[in-house]
Amino acid sequence: STIIGRSGDAVRRLSERTSCRIHVSPHVPQLQERLVMVAGEHEQLVDATVSILRDIQADPHLRDHMHFKYDFQLPLGTWAGIKALPVDPDVPLLDPKETERHTKREII
């Protein structure tokens, strides 16, 4: 992709140019999308975000990729890759619907 570049070169250059931390989620089978997370100081954040948005808008296939309908459900933590694995894999993760019945303190 234009945003990521070959072996992450484009996102690395953008990160160096803007002094922002830029993380692109791992590839998830069945999906073309990736999440791009950008963190930094306000001015640099605006610069990096505008650059990313320009790349997206310049994509000649943008209209083809703007249909978001899925017939499957992704497991919780899919976008974060292996870093999202629970500390104790024997403890089941809460379904988001179940969290409504608990306080934040109980969940933590």
Side-chain angles (χ1 to χ4, degrees), residues 73 76 93-103 107:
Q73 187 173 5
L76 187 62
L93 294 175
L94 285 175
D95 184 284
K97 293 176 186 168
E98 292 179 34
T99 61
E100 296 170 0
R101 298 187 301 223
H102 300 281
T103 66
I107 292 172

Side-chain angles (χ1 to χ4, degrees), residues 37-75:
M37 292 153 276
V38 183
E41 297 295 323
H42 182 266
E43 290 299 319
Q44 290 84 4
L45 187 62
V46 170
D47 185 21
T49 304
V50 167
S51 182
I52 292 168
L53 292 173
R54 283 188 179 136
D55 286 345
I56 292 170
Q57 291 174 339
D59 183 348
H61 304 287
L62 179 61
R63 286 183 181 252
D64 300 332
H65 298 294
M66 293 303 294
H67 301 284
F68 303 104
K69 183 177 180 190
Y70 306 105
D71 56 357
F72 59 91
Q73 187 173 5
L74 293 173

Side-chain angles (χ1 to χ4, degrees), residues 6-64:
R6 183 176 222 101
S7 300
D9 288 342
V11 76
R12 207 171 3 268
R13 281 192 311 271
L14 179 61
S15 179
E16 289 170 4
R17 182 175 64 81
T18 62
S19 299
C20 285
R21 291 178 311 281
I22 303 172
H23 174 76
V24 179
S25 68
H27 172 63
V28 175
Q30 302 174 312
L31 295 177
Q32 293 181 351
E33 299 87 28
R34 300 264 190 112
L35 291 182
V36 178
M37 292 153 276
V38 183
E41 297 295 323
H42 182 266
E43 290 299 319
Q44 290 84 4
L45 187 62
V46 170
D47 185 21
T49 304
V50 167
S51 182
I52 292 168
L53 292 173
R54 283 188 179 136
D55 286 345
I56 292 170
Q57 291 174 339
D59 183 348
H61 304 287
L62 179 61
R63 286 183 181 252
D64 300 332

